[in-house]
Amino acid sequence: MQSTTRETIHNVGTVRFKEKNVGIVIAVIAVLISAVALTLAFTVFKPKCPGPKIKPSVVVALDGSGDFTTVSAAVAAAPSHSRKYFGIFIRPGVYHEQVRVPAEKTRLAFLGSGIGVTVIFSNRSWPEYSSEATATLHVKGDGFVAMDISFENAGDPAATGYTVALANDGDKTAFLRCSFKGYSGVVKAGRGLQFYGNVNIHGAVDVVWGSAAAVFQKCGMYPEKPLPDQEGSSLTFQQRSAPFERAGFVFHGCYIAAPPLGSRVFLGRPGGAYSLVVVMDSYLSGPTAGWLPESSSPSLPKTLYLGEYKNGGVQGVGPGWKNMTAVEASRFTVAGFINGDKWLPDASVEYVSNF
């Protein structure tokens, strides 16, 4: 009898021991699965870390404490056709000049001290000057980078042409934590692949225009009040002219402010037969209409593309909006639309590759 009892106790203990071991194994597996899931989540959703920080090669200071007193002089002294980034640190101050970065000045980096702290300012407008000639900053050199700077053009709003803060005609260029202010044609995204991260853009007419493939990520769009004879503010004037042209503007994770009291805001005015604008994972704080048709041609071409995906706030109103699927929207991420994973890390820029 005692033997049977001992046997029973032994068997129960063995079962409990096995159950305990199984429980430990299951717990370990659960922890491993959680770790893998967490790793994948960070891999997918965490912003890509930039490469090595760009170090200043020269310093610009208004008070003469640096190597140069103007940004233009520092640009002129930078090496041509460089394969490495040449950093120009611009100390706090308002620099009243128009800066030109010619095509031979490749891999140039402007490093400021913050929005509203380092300011490059001009006040030219069309028709006294051509559109590009009004630009406070005109970039032609590929691989250009600017961080923590305000660019402003205080040209006459009543002028019939553009008052450009930035004319960007460089390929694989990036602007991070910058501000652009003007009235019309404020940012020209002219050609190539371009990235704008955490920038603020203020303007009223054709605020962003050009033929580049550009992604605006975590940016703020602030429409200004148009003139009385204008129908409303147009945030873009995208100029894609052919169906297979790699061009368009993507606003990903952006904030589009409500229109000023008594005015309307249109997401775009078509500048080409195949104009392409996409807004996804963004917040529209007020009613934003689709395309603003030309007064001479009120009917909109069916070849225009105005994509929308998972936006918050006030839903877009008017004709032209297309609700995209997740597969369609994936074409317009930093990785999918401008191949950002291949060149942005070198520019020391933090970004989100996909959704």
Side-chain angles (χ1 to χ4, degrees), residues 32-197:
L32 289 174
I33 291 173
S34 298
V36 171
L38 191 61
T39 303
L40 289 173
F42 270 85
T43 302
V44 173
F45 297 111
K46 186 181 178 181
K48 294 285 186 178
C49 294
K53 187 176 180 181
I54 299 173
K55 296 180 180 179
S57 302
V58 296
V59 176
V60 179
L62 287 171
D63 62 5
S65 60
D67 301 294
F68 303 95
T69 57
T70 67
V71 180
S72 297
V75 172
S80 297
H81 308 292
S82 177
R83 294 184 178 181
K84 296 181 179 179
Y85 276 103
F86 183 86
I88 299 176
F89 177 60
I90 309 170
R91 284 183 177 158
V94 180
Y95 295 80
H96 292 264
E97 58 178 308
Q98 287 187 293
V99 181
R100 300 293 178 259
V101 178
E104 66 270 17
K105 300 292 183 178
T106 55
R107 296 225 163 192
L108 204 58
F110 286 5
L111 311 172
S113 299
I115 291 176
V117 180
T118 299
V119 181
I120 302 178
F121 177 93
S122 72
N123 60 350
R124 290 187 176 182
S125 56
W126 191 95
E128 186 178 358
Y129 302 92
S130 66
S131 294
E132 281 82 3
T134 70
T136 302
L137 171 66
H138 192 175
V139 175
K140 292 185 178 179
D142 293 344
F144 179 85
V145 177
M147 302 179 185
D148 305 302
I149 302 174
S150 291
F151 300 92
E152 299 183 15
N153 186 339
D156 184 7
T160 54
Y162 286 169
T163 53
V164 182
L166 167 67
N168 186 0
D169 289 310
D171 184 31
K172 296 179 181 176
T173 55
F175 288 79
L176 192 67
R177 299 183 302 274
C178 290
S179 174
F180 305 95
K181 291 184 179 180
Y183 180 77
S184 56
V186 180
V187 172
K188 178 194 179 187
R191 74 171 184 92
L193 309 178
Q194 301 185 6
F195 176 79
Y196 300 81

